[in-house]
Amino acid sequence: MNNFEIIFMKSACILFSGMLLISCEKKNDPIEVIEEPVFRVSGTMNGQPLNISAGVDDYVMYTDYNFDNSTSVYEFNGSIRKFNCAHCPQSLNIRMRNYRQSGIDEGVFADSAFTENYYSISSVVAPSVNFLMQFNHQSNGVLQQGKWFFGDGSLPVMAADTQHIYVHPGEYTVGFIGYFGNGCTDTLVNTFRFGIKGSNCHANFSPTILGDSVSLLDYSSGTAPLNYFFDFGDGVTSNQWLPYHVYSHPGVYTILLRVEDAENSVSEFKRKVFVLPTTACMAGFQFPQLSGLPNTFNLSTISIEYIDANGTIFSSDFNPGSNDGFFRIDNVEDYGNNSHGDKVKKLKIQFSCRLYNSTQTENIDLDISDAIFAVAYK
């Protein structure tokens, strides 16, 4: 047994060799010291527990990167698998494509490739990672100016109507402030999801006021059947599909629609209505139009591969359609270098996805609630 094997067998704490990482952290305890694996995967596969830890049962964390000459895009790779085994059963591989094209000798700015956010999961149909949303106000009163907040950390925009490009899928809270001619100011806020699990469920409706009564048109979508809940803003609620409501006093009211579909996805949308006579102003906006922008080179996408106990490869790259799942990086840390001198990022991640075999005749569902992974970059 050589020195490498002795270190591996006895401690499995910190070891860089080739492009692999074996690591664990010490957890202080009043009675004993426990060595806890750094790199791990915890969740379910087809509803059954799936737990893999580097340093346990000969599992190790491998890292590397490669340059795709056909697209000029760098890929950053991590693989948690048995020691000294390239394509062994019960291993998990994750490949992260860079956010832009690069020259082969160009530096790779991995800090921009790995951020705490949602990412699109790759599939046969190249998924969008950038999303264009068209926002149109629908206010009552003499609107002098509007101000939009997009919920992604970008600067607000002063406009009545506007467009905005989101550079990651996710859930975003959008606010519109209306400034009116009589000095009145009003605000409406809604939250939208796109490109992540559950984002096919949309609550959407249009109200029509006639005197003191309101009627509704429903534009909601999702996996049928849909369950509806309306809150009319005056203490009255309804679970009917298209309820008819009469207000007892003039004023501005916020109507909330909450929709739950057959996949237990929930979406909410708010619109305002006014009952005359009232001097109040009313800010509002329609449900935004959403367009996924083309992503020819699969930039900023995540490929997930699992090799089952029989050696069958299941991959998101084999998914025949859009992947109704999600991949999120919750934390990013530098983690030194591997023995090739490649820099290493330690990532806290969670994801849910459906993977297919190469003939698309079988699939598995991975739901990973907690994982610490590593990738190497230039």
PDB file of all heavy atoms in Angstrom, residues 205-217 230-234 236 238 240 242-248 251 253-256 271-275 282:
ATOM      1  N   PHE A 205     -56.164  37.625 -14.036  1.00  0.00           N
ATOM      2  CA  PHE A 205     -57.565  37.956 -14.260  1.00  0.00           C
ATOM      3  C   PHE A 205     -57.686  39.423 -14.641  1.00  0.00           C
ATOM      4  O   PHE A 205     -56.765  40.216 -14.459  1.00  0.00           O
ATOM      5  CB  PHE A 205     -58.402  37.671 -13.006  1.00  0.00           C
ATOM      6  CG  PHE A 205     -58.128  38.611 -11.858  1.00  0.00           C
ATOM      7  CD1 PHE A 205     -58.969  39.689 -11.612  1.00  0.00           C
ATOM      8  CD2 PHE A 205     -57.020  38.435 -11.031  1.00  0.00           C
ATOM      9  CE1 PHE A 205     -58.714  40.570 -10.564  1.00  0.00           C
ATOM     10  CE2 PHE A 205     -56.765  39.290  -9.988  1.00  0.00           C
ATOM     11  CZ  PHE A 205     -57.606  40.363  -9.746  1.00  0.00           C
ATOM     12  N   SER A 206     -58.866  39.761 -15.171  1.00  0.00           N
ATOM     13  CA  SER A 206     -59.167  41.146 -15.537  1.00  0.00           C
ATOM     14  C   SER A 206     -60.508  41.539 -14.920  1.00  0.00           C
ATOM     15  O   SER A 206     -61.509  40.854 -15.151  1.00  0.00           O
ATOM     16  CB  SER A 206     -59.229  41.295 -17.055  1.00  0.00           C
ATOM     17  OG  SER A 206     -59.596  42.613 -17.420  1.00  0.00           O
ATOM     18  N   PRO A 207     -60.539  42.615 -14.115  1.00  0.00           N
ATOM     19  CA  PRO A 207     -61.805  43.047 -13.506  1.00  0.00           C
ATOM     20  C   PRO A 207     -62.501  44.131 -14.337  1.00  0.00           C
ATOM     21  O   PRO A 207     -61.848  44.936 -15.004  1.00  0.00           O
ATOM     22  CB  PRO A 207     -61.339  43.608 -12.160  1.00  0.00           C
ATOM     23  CG  PRO A 207     -59.979  44.176 -12.459  1.00  0.00           C
ATOM     24  CD  PRO A 207     -59.382  43.348 -13.567  1.00  0.00           C
ATOM     25  N   THR A 208     -63.819  44.137 -14.282  1.00  0.00           N
ATOM     26  CA  THR A 208     -64.610  45.209 -14.894  1.00  0.00           C
ATOM     27  C   THR A 208     -65.566  45.749 -13.844  1.00  0.00           C
ATOM     28  O   THR A 208     -66.347  44.998 -13.254  1.00  0.00           O
ATOM     29  CB  THR A 208     -65.405  44.689 -16.104  1.00  0.00           C
ATOM     30  OG1 THR A 208     -64.491  44.199 -17.087  1.00  0.00           O
ATOM     31  CG2 THR A 208     -66.234  45.814 -16.716  1.00  0.00           C
ATOM     32  N   ILE A 209     -65.501  47.078 -13.620  1.00  0.00           N
ATOM     33  CA  ILE A 209     -66.363  47.730 -12.631  1.00  0.00           C
ATOM     34  C   ILE A 209     -67.546  48.379 -13.340  1.00  0.00           C
ATOM     35  O   ILE A 209     -67.373  49.107 -14.326  1.00  0.00           O
ATOM     36  CB  ILE A 209     -65.583  48.776 -11.832  1.00  0.00           C
ATOM     37  CG1 ILE A 209     -64.758  48.098 -10.747  1.00  0.00           C
ATOM     38  CG2 ILE A 209     -66.520  49.793 -11.188  1.00  0.00           C
ATOM     39  CD1 ILE A 209     -65.578  47.623  -9.563  1.00  0.00           C
ATOM     40  N   LEU A 210     -68.741  48.120 -12.851  1.00  0.00           N
ATOM     41  CA  LEU A 210     -69.945  48.797 -13.328  1.00  0.00           C
ATOM     42  C   LEU A 210     -70.690  49.296 -12.099  1.00  0.00           C
ATOM     43  O   LEU A 210     -71.301  48.509 -11.368  1.00  0.00           O
ATOM     44  CB  LEU A 210     -70.815  47.854 -14.147  1.00  0.00           C
ATOM     45  CG  LEU A 210     -72.093  48.460 -14.750  1.00  0.00           C
ATOM     46  CD1 LEU A 210     -71.743  49.608 -15.706  1.00  0.00           C
ATOM     47  CD2 LEU A 210     -72.914  47.398 -15.471  1.00  0.00           C
ATOM     48  N   GLY A 211     -70.584  50.605 -11.853  1.00  0.00           N
ATOM     49  CA  GLY A 211     -71.179  51.172 -10.648  1.00  0.00           C
ATOM     50  C   GLY A 211     -70.426  50.698  -9.423  1.00  0.00           C
ATOM     51  O   GLY A 211     -69.231  50.952  -9.270  1.00  0.00           O
ATOM     52  N   ASP A 212     -71.111  49.947  -8.555  1.00  0.00           N
ATOM     53  CA  ASP A 212     -70.477  49.446  -7.336  1.00  0.00           C
ATOM     54  C   ASP A 212     -70.218  47.941  -7.401  1.00  0.00           C
ATOM     55  O   ASP A 212     -69.900  47.320  -6.388  1.00  0.00           O
ATOM     56  CB  ASP A 212     -71.344  49.760  -6.123  1.00  0.00           C
ATOM     57  CG  ASP A 212     -72.756  49.197  -6.243  1.00  0.00           C
ATOM     58  OD1 ASP A 212     -73.042  48.553  -7.271  1.00  0.00           O
ATOM     59  OD2 ASP A 212     -73.559  49.403  -5.313  1.00  0.00           O
ATOM     60  N   SER A 213     -70.358  47.343  -8.572  1.00  0.00           N
ATOM     61  CA  SER A 213     -70.174  45.902  -8.708  1.00  0.00           C
ATOM     62  C   SER A 213     -68.999  45.585  -9.634  1.00  0.00           C
ATOM     63  O   SER A 213     -68.672  46.362 -10.536  1.00  0.00           O
ATOM     64  CB  SER A 213     -71.455  45.238  -9.225  1.00  0.00           C
ATOM     65  OG  SER A 213     -71.772  45.735 -10.513  1.00  0.00           O
ATOM     66  N   VAL A 214     -68.397  44.419  -9.408  1.00  0.00           N
ATOM     67  CA  VAL A 214     -67.257  44.001 -10.215  1.00  0.00           C
ATOM     68  C   VAL A 214     -67.520  42.616 -10.792  1.00  0.00           C
ATOM     69  O   VAL A 214     -68.037  41.724 -10.117  1.00  0.00           O
ATOM     70  CB  VAL A 214     -65.951  43.996  -9.372  1.00  0.00           C
ATOM     71  CG1 VAL A 214     -66.047  43.030  -8.197  1.00  0.00           C
ATOM     72  CG2 VAL A 214     -64.751  43.656 -10.243  1.00  0.00           C
ATOM     73  N   SER A 215     -67.191  42.449 -12.084  1.00  0.00           N
ATOM     74  CA  SER A 215     -67.220  41.148 -12.736  1.00  0.00           C
ATOM     75  C   SER A 215     -65.807  40.837 -13.222  1.00  0.00           C
ATOM     76  O   SER A 215     -64.993  41.746 -13.436  1.00  0.00           O
ATOM     77  CB  SER A 215     -68.211  41.133 -13.906  1.00  0.00           C
ATOM     78  OG  SER A 215     -67.872  42.125 -14.860  1.00  0.00           O
ATOM     79  N   LEU A 216     -65.519  39.545 -13.405  1.00  0.00           N
ATOM     80  CA  LEU A 216     -64.144  39.126 -13.642  1.00  0.00           C
ATOM     81  C   LEU A 216     -64.046  38.236 -14.876  1.00  0.00           C
ATOM     82  O   LEU A 216     -64.945  37.447 -15.169  1.00  0.00           O
ATOM     83  CB  LEU A 216     -63.603  38.355 -12.429  1.00  0.00           C
ATOM     84  CG  LEU A 216     -63.709  39.059 -11.069  1.00  0.00           C
ATOM     85  CD1 LEU A 216     -63.361  38.086  -9.951  1.00  0.00           C
ATOM     86  CD2 LEU A 216     -62.795  40.267 -11.023  1.00  0.00           C
ATOM     87  N   LEU A 217     -62.937  38.386 -15.600  1.00  0.00           N
ATOM     88  CA  LEU A 217     -62.556  37.450 -16.648  1.00  0.00           C
ATOM     89  C   LEU A 217     -61.287  36.738 -16.198  1.00  0.00           C
ATOM     90  O   LEU A 217     -60.344  37.381 -15.716  1.00  0.00           O
ATOM     91  CB  LEU A 217     -62.318  38.175 -17.973  1.00  0.00           C
ATOM     92  CG  LEU A 217     -63.552  38.746 -18.673  1.00  0.00           C
ATOM     93  CD1 LEU A 217     -63.140  39.522 -19.927  1.00  0.00           C
ATOM     94  CD2 LEU A 217     -64.535  37.639 -19.034  1.00  0.00           C
ATOM     95  N   PHE A 230     -60.483  34.141  -4.234  1.00  0.00           N
ATOM     96  CA  PHE A 230     -60.528  35.580  -4.458  1.00  0.00           C
ATOM     97  C   PHE A 230     -60.700  36.310  -3.129  1.00  0.00           C
ATOM     98  O   PHE A 230     -61.532  35.921  -2.301  1.00  0.00           O
ATOM     99  CB  PHE A 230     -61.693  35.965  -5.384  1.00  0.00           C
ATOM    100  CG  PHE A 230     -61.467  35.663  -6.831  1.00  0.00           C
ATOM    101  CD1 PHE A 230     -61.910  34.469  -7.379  1.00  0.00           C
ATOM    102  CD2 PHE A 230     -60.819  36.579  -7.646  1.00  0.00           C
ATOM    103  CE1 PHE A 230     -61.719  34.180  -8.718  1.00  0.00           C
ATOM    104  CE2 PHE A 230     -60.615  36.303  -8.998  1.00  0.00           C
ATOM    105  CZ  PHE A 230     -61.060  35.102  -9.534  1.00  0.00           C
ATOM    106  N   ASP A 231     -59.924  37.359  -2.945  1.00  0.00           N
ATOM    107  CA  ASP A 231     -60.102  38.289  -1.828  1.00  0.00           C
ATOM    108  C   ASP A 231     -60.375  39.656  -2.440  1.00  0.00           C
ATOM    109  O   ASP A 231     -59.530  40.216  -3.152  1.00  0.00           O
ATOM    110  CB  ASP A 231     -58.834  38.328  -0.966  1.00  0.00           C
ATOM    111  CG  ASP A 231     -58.995  39.184   0.278  1.00  0.00           C
ATOM    112  OD1 ASP A 231     -59.821  40.122   0.266  1.00  0.00           O
ATOM    113  OD2 ASP A 231     -58.277  38.933   1.261  1.00  0.00           O
ATOM    114  N   PHE A 232     -61.577  40.217  -2.170  1.00  0.00           N
ATOM    115  CA  PHE A 232     -61.998  41.447  -2.833  1.00  0.00           C
ATOM    116  C   PHE A 232     -61.488  42.721  -2.142  1.00  0.00           C
ATOM    117  O   PHE A 232     -61.798  43.830  -2.589  1.00  0.00           O
ATOM    118  CB  PHE A 232     -63.523  41.479  -2.961  1.00  0.00           C
ATOM    119  CG  PHE A 232     -64.043  40.469  -3.936  1.00  0.00           C
ATOM    120  CD1 PHE A 232     -64.519  39.237  -3.492  1.00  0.00           C
ATOM    121  CD2 PHE A 232     -64.030  40.714  -5.294  1.00  0.00           C
ATOM    122  CE1 PHE A 232     -64.985  38.285  -4.385  1.00  0.00           C
ATOM    123  CE2 PHE A 232     -64.497  39.778  -6.195  1.00  0.00           C
ATOM    124  CZ  PHE A 232     -64.981  38.547  -5.741  1.00  0.00           C
ATOM    125  N   GLY A 233     -60.755  42.565  -1.076  1.00  0.00           N
ATOM    126  CA  GLY A 233     -60.147  43.726  -0.429  1.00  0.00           C
ATOM    127  C   GLY A 233     -61.043  44.457   0.545  1.00  0.00           C
ATOM    128  O   GLY A 233     -60.628  45.466   1.120  1.00  0.00           O
ATOM    129  N   ASP A 234     -62.261  43.966   0.739  1.00  0.00           N
ATOM    130  CA  ASP A 234     -63.191  44.606   1.679  1.00  0.00           C
ATOM    131  C   ASP A 234     -63.652  43.620   2.745  1.00  0.00           C
ATOM    132  O   ASP A 234     -64.673  43.835   3.404  1.00  0.00           O
ATOM    133  CB  ASP A 234     -64.399  45.177   0.937  1.00  0.00           C
ATOM    134  CG  ASP A 234     -65.206  44.101   0.201  1.00  0.00           C
ATOM    135  OD1 ASP A 234     -64.727  42.944   0.120  1.00  0.00           O
ATOM    136  OD2 ASP A 234     -66.304  44.412  -0.283  1.00  0.00           O
ATOM    137  N   VAL A 236     -64.438  40.432   2.059  1.00  0.00           N
ATOM    138  CA  VAL A 236     -65.221  39.382   1.421  1.00  0.00           C
ATOM    139  C   VAL A 236     -64.301  38.511   0.571  1.00  0.00           C
ATOM    140  O   VAL A 236     -63.465  39.026  -0.183  1.00  0.00           O
ATOM    141  CB  VAL A 236     -66.349  39.973   0.553  1.00  0.00           C
ATOM    142  CG1 VAL A 236     -67.115  38.857  -0.159  1.00  0.00           C
ATOM    143  CG2 VAL A 236     -67.294  40.808   1.402  1.00  0.00           C
ATOM    144  N   SER A 238     -64.010  34.550  -1.791  1.00  0.00           N
ATOM    145  CA  SER A 238     -64.805  33.572  -2.531  1.00  0.00           C
ATOM    146  C   SER A 238     -63.877  32.509  -3.120  1.00  0.00           C
ATOM    147  O   SER A 238     -62.750  32.808  -3.521  1.00  0.00           O
ATOM    148  CB  SER A 238     -65.578  34.251  -3.659  1.00  0.00           C
ATOM    149  OG  SER A 238     -66.249  33.294  -4.455  1.00  0.00           O
ATOM    150  N   GLN A 240     -65.253  30.626  -5.636  1.00  0.00           N
ATOM    151  CA  GLN A 240     -65.880  30.391  -6.930  1.00  0.00           C
ATOM    152  C   GLN A 240     -64.907  30.735  -8.059  1.00  0.00           C
ATOM    153  O   GLN A 240     -63.943  31.477  -7.879  1.00  0.00           O
ATOM    154  CB  GLN A 240     -67.147  31.231  -7.063  1.00  0.00           C
ATOM    155  CG  GLN A 240     -68.236  30.874  -6.063  1.00  0.00           C
ATOM    156  CD  GLN A 240     -69.474  31.749  -6.226  1.00  0.00           C
ATOM    157  OE1 GLN A 240     -69.621  32.455  -7.223  1.00  0.00           O
ATOM    158  NE2 GLN A 240     -70.363  31.701  -5.249  1.00  0.00           N
ATOM    159  N   LEU A 242     -65.585  32.432 -11.109  1.00  0.00           N
ATOM    160  CA  LEU A 242     -65.766  33.826 -11.524  1.00  0.00           C
ATOM    161  C   LEU A 242     -66.861  34.455 -10.676  1.00  0.00           C
ATOM    162  O   LEU A 242     -68.002  34.649 -11.129  1.00  0.00           O
ATOM    163  CB  LEU A 242     -66.124  33.907 -13.012  1.00  0.00           C
ATOM    164  CG  LEU A 242     -65.030  33.490 -13.990  1.00  0.00           C
ATOM    165  CD1 LEU A 242     -65.543  33.554 -15.420  1.00  0.00           C
ATOM    166  CD2 LEU A 242     -63.797  34.385 -13.832  1.00  0.00           C
ATOM    167  N   PRO A 243     -66.550  34.797  -9.449  1.00  0.00           N
ATOM    168  CA  PRO A 243     -67.578  35.372  -8.569  1.00  0.00           C
ATOM    169  C   PRO A 243     -67.958  36.786  -9.001  1.00  0.00           C
ATOM    170  O   PRO A 243     -67.176  37.506  -9.617  1.00  0.00           O
ATOM    171  CB  PRO A 243     -66.894  35.366  -7.203  1.00  0.00           C
ATOM    172  CG  PRO A 243     -65.439  35.478  -7.519  1.00  0.00           C
ATOM    173  CD  PRO A 243     -65.235  34.697  -8.783  1.00  0.00           C
ATOM    174  N   TYR A 244     -69.164  37.161  -8.645  1.00  0.00           N
ATOM    175  CA  TYR A 244     -69.683  38.523  -8.877  1.00  0.00           C
ATOM    176  C   TYR A 244     -69.783  39.187  -7.522  1.00  0.00           C
ATOM    177  O   TYR A 244     -70.278  38.605  -6.565  1.00  0.00           O
ATOM    178  CB  TYR A 244     -71.053  38.429  -9.557  1.00  0.00           C
ATOM    179  CG  TYR A 244     -71.704  39.754  -9.855  1.00  0.00           C
ATOM    180  CD1 TYR A 244     -71.354  40.486 -10.978  1.00  0.00           C
ATOM    181  CD2 TYR A 244     -72.693  40.251  -9.005  1.00  0.00           C
ATOM    182  CE1 TYR A 244     -71.971  41.698 -11.254  1.00  0.00           C
ATOM    183  CE2 TYR A 244     -73.323  41.453  -9.278  1.00  0.00           C
ATOM    184  CZ  TYR A 244     -72.954  42.176 -10.404  1.00  0.00           C
ATOM    185  OH  TYR A 244     -73.566  43.366 -10.670  1.00  0.00           O
ATOM    186  N   HIS A 245     -69.288  40.431  -7.433  1.00  0.00           N
ATOM    187  CA  HIS A 245     -69.218  41.065  -6.117  1.00  0.00           C
ATOM    188  C   HIS A 245     -69.716  42.507  -6.186  1.00  0.00           C
ATOM    189  O   HIS A 245     -69.461  43.221  -7.165  1.00  0.00           O
ATOM    190  CB  HIS A 245     -67.781  41.049  -5.600  1.00  0.00           C
ATOM    191  CG  HIS A 245     -67.634  41.644  -4.231  1.00  0.00           C
ATOM    192  ND1 HIS A 245     -68.258  41.125  -3.124  1.00  0.00           N
ATOM    193  CD2 HIS A 245     -66.938  42.742  -3.795  1.00  0.00           C
ATOM    194  CE1 HIS A 245     -67.947  41.850  -2.058  1.00  0.00           C
ATOM    195  NE2 HIS A 245     -67.152  42.841  -2.446  1.00  0.00           N
ATOM    196  N   VAL A 246     -70.416  42.908  -5.111  1.00  0.00           N
ATOM    197  CA  VAL A 246     -70.916  44.282  -4.985  1.00  0.00           C
ATOM    198  C   VAL A 246     -70.256  44.923  -3.765  1.00  0.00           C
ATOM    199  O   VAL A 246     -70.290  44.368  -2.657  1.00  0.00           O
ATOM    200  CB  VAL A 246     -72.447  44.299  -4.832  1.00  0.00           C
ATOM    201  CG1 VAL A 246     -72.935  45.738  -4.636  1.00  0.00           C
ATOM    202  CG2 VAL A 246     -73.113  43.667  -6.047  1.00  0.00           C
ATOM    203  N   TYR A 247     -69.647  46.094  -3.983  1.00  0.00           N
ATOM    204  CA  TYR A 247     -69.018  46.831  -2.885  1.00  0.00           C
ATOM    205  C   TYR A 247     -70.041  47.741  -2.213  1.00  0.00           C
ATOM    206  O   TYR A 247     -70.917  48.313  -2.882  1.00  0.00           O
ATOM    207  CB  TYR A 247     -67.843  47.668  -3.404  1.00  0.00           C
ATOM    208  CG  TYR A 247     -66.632  46.826  -3.798  1.00  0.00           C
ATOM    209  CD1 TYR A 247     -66.428  46.463  -5.131  1.00  0.00           C
ATOM    210  CD2 TYR A 247     -65.724  46.398  -2.844  1.00  0.00           C
ATOM    211  CE1 TYR A 247     -65.343  45.695  -5.504  1.00  0.00           C
ATOM    212  CE2 TYR A 247     -64.623  45.635  -3.207  1.00  0.00           C
ATOM    213  CZ  TYR A 247     -64.440  45.284  -4.529  1.00  0.00           C
ATOM    214  OH  TYR A 247     -63.353  44.516  -4.884  1.00  0.00           O
ATOM    215  N   SER A 248     -69.910  47.896  -0.910  1.00  0.00           N
ATOM    216  CA  SER A 248     -70.884  48.687  -0.151  1.00  0.00           C
ATOM    217  C   SER A 248     -70.464  50.137   0.021  1.00  0.00           C
ATOM    218  O   SER A 248     -71.286  50.972   0.422  1.00  0.00           O
ATOM    219  CB  SER A 248     -71.106  48.052   1.231  1.00  0.00           C
ATOM    220  OG  SER A 248     -69.877  47.961   1.940  1.00  0.00           O
ATOM    221  N   GLY A 251     -64.416  53.825  -3.087  1.00  0.00           N
ATOM    222  CA  GLY A 251     -63.002  53.744  -2.726  1.00  0.00           C
ATOM    223  C   GLY A 251     -62.228  52.905  -3.711  1.00  0.00           C
ATOM    224  O   GLY A 251     -62.745  52.467  -4.752  1.00  0.00           O
ATOM    225  N   TYR A 253     -60.008  49.411  -4.148  1.00  0.00           N
ATOM    226  CA  TYR A 253     -59.889  48.097  -3.526  1.00  0.00           C
ATOM    227  C   TYR A 253     -58.875  47.240  -4.305  1.00  0.00           C
ATOM    228  O   TYR A 253     -58.843  47.287  -5.546  1.00  0.00           O
ATOM    229  CB  TYR A 253     -61.248  47.383  -3.488  1.00  0.00           C
ATOM    230  CG  TYR A 253     -62.274  48.095  -2.658  1.00  0.00           C
ATOM    231  CD1 TYR A 253     -63.140  49.024  -3.233  1.00  0.00           C
ATOM    232  CD2 TYR A 253     -62.386  47.853  -1.285  1.00  0.00           C
ATOM    233  CE1 TYR A 253     -64.092  49.688  -2.469  1.00  0.00           C
ATOM    234  CE2 TYR A 253     -63.335  48.504  -0.517  1.00  0.00           C
ATOM    235  CZ  TYR A 253     -64.177  49.427  -1.112  1.00  0.00           C
ATOM    236  OH  TYR A 253     -65.116  50.101  -0.352  1.00  0.00           O
ATOM    237  N   THR A 254     -58.106  46.473  -3.577  1.00  0.00           N
ATOM    238  CA  THR A 254     -57.154  45.539  -4.192  1.00  0.00           C
ATOM    239  C   THR A 254     -57.754  44.141  -4.176  1.00  0.00           C
ATOM    240  O   THR A 254     -58.056  43.587  -3.119  1.00  0.00           O
ATOM    241  CB  THR A 254     -55.820  45.532  -3.431  1.00  0.00           C
ATOM    242  OG1 THR A 254     -55.241  46.844  -3.449  1.00  0.00           O
ATOM    243  CG2 THR A 254     -54.830  44.563  -4.076  1.00  0.00           C
ATOM    244  N   ILE A 255     -57.935  43.570  -5.380  1.00  0.00           N
ATOM    245  CA  ILE A 255     -58.450  42.208  -5.509  1.00  0.00           C
ATOM    246  C   ILE A 255     -57.270  41.256  -5.671  1.00  0.00           C
ATOM    247  O   ILE A 255     -56.403  41.446  -6.534  1.00  0.00           O
ATOM    248  CB  ILE A 255     -59.390  42.081  -6.718  1.00  0.00           C
ATOM    249  CG1 ILE A 255     -60.567  43.041  -6.587  1.00  0.00           C
ATOM    250  CG2 ILE A 255     -59.895  40.642  -6.851  1.00  0.00           C
ATOM    251  CD1 ILE A 255     -61.506  43.022  -7.787  1.00  0.00           C
ATOM    252  N   LEU A 256     -57.235  40.231  -4.846  1.00  0.00           N
ATOM    253  CA  LEU A 256     -56.204  39.206  -4.910  1.00  0.00           C
ATOM    254  C   LEU A 256     -56.803  37.907  -5.424  1.00  0.00           C
ATOM    255  O   LEU A 256     -57.845  37.459  -4.930  1.00  0.00           O
ATOM    256  CB  LEU A 256     -55.608  38.959  -3.515  1.00  0.00           C
ATOM    257  CG  LEU A 256     -54.774  37.686  -3.343  1.00  0.00           C
ATOM    258  CD1 LEU A 256     -53.443  37.800  -4.083  1.00  0.00           C
ATOM    259  CD2 LEU A 256     -54.541  37.377  -1.869  1.00  0.00           C
ATOM    260  N   ARG A 271     -54.887  42.933  -8.683  1.00  0.00           N
ATOM    261  CA  ARG A 271     -55.322  44.072  -9.506  1.00  0.00           C
ATOM    262  C   ARG A 271     -56.157  44.991  -8.626  1.00  0.00           C
ATOM    263  O   ARG A 271     -56.759  44.555  -7.639  1.00  0.00           O
ATOM    264  CB  ARG A 271     -56.165  43.601 -10.704  1.00  0.00           C
ATOM    265  CG  ARG A 271     -55.462  42.662 -11.665  1.00  0.00           C
ATOM    266  CD  ARG A 271     -54.496  43.380 -12.578  1.00  0.00           C
ATOM    267  NE  ARG A 271     -55.167  44.237 -13.526  1.00  0.00           N
ATOM    268  CZ  ARG A 271     -55.515  43.847 -14.762  1.00  0.00           C
ATOM    269  NH1 ARG A 271     -55.283  42.609 -15.167  1.00  0.00           N
ATOM    270  NH2 ARG A 271     -56.097  44.691 -15.596  1.00  0.00           N
ATOM    271  N   LYS A 272     -56.203  46.261  -8.988  1.00  0.00           N
ATOM    272  CA  LYS A 272     -56.993  47.225  -8.228  1.00  0.00           C
ATOM    273  C   LYS A 272     -58.215  47.674  -9.020  1.00  0.00           C
ATOM    274  O   LYS A 272     -58.190  47.730 -10.257  1.00  0.00           O
ATOM    275  CB  LYS A 272     -56.143  48.440  -7.849  1.00  0.00           C
ATOM    276  CG  LYS A 272     -55.059  48.131  -6.823  1.00  0.00           C
ATOM    277  CD  LYS A 272     -54.378  49.394  -6.335  1.00  0.00           C
ATOM    278  CE  LYS A 272     -53.367  49.076  -5.237  1.00  0.00           C
ATOM    279  NZ  LYS A 272     -52.753  50.318  -4.677  1.00  0.00           N
ATOM    280  N   VAL A 273     -59.296  47.983  -8.289  1.00  0.00           N
ATOM    281  CA  VAL A 273     -60.507  48.544  -8.882  1.00  0.00           C
ATOM    282  C   VAL A 273     -60.937  49.735  -8.042  1.00  0.00           C
ATOM    283  O   VAL A 273     -60.588  49.837  -6.864  1.00  0.00           O
ATOM    284  CB  VAL A 273     -61.650  47.506  -8.948  1.00  0.00           C
ATOM    285  CG1 VAL A 273     -61.285  46.347  -9.859  1.00  0.00           C
ATOM    286  CG2 VAL A 273     -62.001  46.999  -7.554  1.00  0.00           C
ATOM    287  N   PHE A 274     -61.659  50.669  -8.665  1.00  0.00           N
ATOM    288  CA  PHE A 274     -62.165  51.812  -7.915  1.00  0.00           C
ATOM    289  C   PHE A 274     -63.682  51.910  -8.057  1.00  0.00           C
ATOM    290  O   PHE A 274     -64.249  51.608  -9.118  1.00  0.00           O
ATOM    291  CB  PHE A 274     -61.502  53.121  -8.363  1.00  0.00           C
ATOM    292  CG  PHE A 274     -61.816  53.529  -9.770  1.00  0.00           C
ATOM    293  CD1 PHE A 274     -62.825  54.459 -10.027  1.00  0.00           C
ATOM    294  CD2 PHE A 274     -61.111  53.006 -10.838  1.00  0.00           C
ATOM    295  CE1 PHE A 274     -63.116  54.833 -11.319  1.00  0.00           C
ATOM    296  CE2 PHE A 274     -61.395  53.388 -12.139  1.00  0.00           C
ATOM    297  CZ  PHE A 274     -62.408  54.305 -12.383  1.00  0.00           C
ATOM    298  N   VAL A 275     -64.317  52.259  -6.946  1.00  0.00           N
ATOM    299  CA  VAL A 275     -65.763  52.437  -6.895  1.00  0.00           C
ATOM    300  C   VAL A 275     -66.028  53.922  -6.667  1.00  0.00           C
ATOM    301  O   VAL A 275     -65.595  54.502  -5.670  1.00  0.00           O
ATOM    302  CB  VAL A 275     -66.388  51.604  -5.765  1.00  0.00           C
ATOM    303  CG1 VAL A 275     -67.897  51.837  -5.704  1.00  0.00           C
ATOM    304  CG2 VAL A 275     -66.086  50.120  -5.972  1.00  0.00           C
ATOM    305  N   MET A 282     -55.220  55.455  -8.579  1.00  0.00           N
ATOM    306  CA  MET A 282     -55.089  54.013  -8.592  1.00  0.00           C
ATOM    307  C   MET A 282     -53.987  53.590  -9.553  1.00  0.00           C
ATOM    308  O   MET A 282     -54.074  53.828 -10.763  1.00  0.00           O
ATOM    309  CB  MET A 282     -56.407  53.360  -9.019  1.00  0.00           C
ATOM    310  CG  MET A 282     -56.436  51.849  -8.841  1.00  0.00           C
ATOM    311  SD  MET A 282     -57.914  51.098  -9.551  1.00  0.00           S
ATOM    312  CE  MET A 282     -57.429  50.975 -11.267  1.00  0.00           C
TER     313      MET A 282
END
